[in-house]
Amino acid sequence: MSAYLLLAAAIVSEVFAEAMMKLSNGFEKKVPIIGIAIGYLIAFYLMAQTLNELPLGFVYAVWTGAGVALTAIIGAIVWDEGFNAKKAIGIAAIIVGVVFLKIGV
C-alpha cells in the first residue's frame, strides 16, 4: 500500500481517537476509551509504517497538521464548537506549512 494512503489512514485513526476522547466526557464514560486506545494504536502503527518510505519531518507535519485541521472541522460540525475566519486562516497556514515542507523534501 502507498505510504501516502497509510498516512491518510493514520490521520483518520487519530481523528477518530480524538472524537472518542470528546465522547468519553473526560474519561467518565468508559466505552469510548476503547475507541481511544484502538484509534491511537492504529494511528501510531500506520504512521510508523509510512516512515519506511517518507521522511520523519514531513510525515509528522502532515499527521499533526491534518489531524488538527480535521479535528477542528469535526468539532465545528458534530459538536457545534464554531468555525470562524481565524480558524480557517489557521488551517490554511497549516496547509501552506506542510506544502513548504513537501517542496523541501
Side-chain angles (χ1 to χ4, degrees):
M1 185 180 280
S2 164
Y4 292 102
L5 289 176
L6 290 174
L7 182 55
I11 293 163
V12 170
S13 296
E14 177 204 10
V15 172
F16 170 79
E18 291 165 358
M20 292 295 103
M21 195 176 302
K22 175 77 172 179
L23 289 175
S24 77
N25 197 30
F27 292 110
E28 290 178 3
K29 296 178 182 175
K30 302 306 179 200
V31 175
I33 295 172
I34 296 167
I36 295 168
I38 291 170
Y40 278 124
L41 285 172
I42 292 170
F44 286 127
Y45 174 78
L46 293 174
M47 189 172 93
Q49 297 308 305
T50 66
L51 294 174
N52 290 325
E53 297 182 35
L54 298 172
L56 174 63
F58 173 72
V59 169
Y60 190 69
V62 171
W63 185 62
T64 57
V68 167
L70 288 174
T71 301
I73 291 167
I74 287 174
I77 293 169
V78 176
W79 288 286
D80 198 29
E81 293 179 348
F83 196 84
N84 55 31
K86 289 179 184 178
K87 285 186 180 182
I89 291 168
I91 289 171
I94 291 168
I95 292 168
V96 169
V98 170
V99 168
F100 279 122
L101 281 171
K102 180 60 179 165
I103 291 170
V105 170

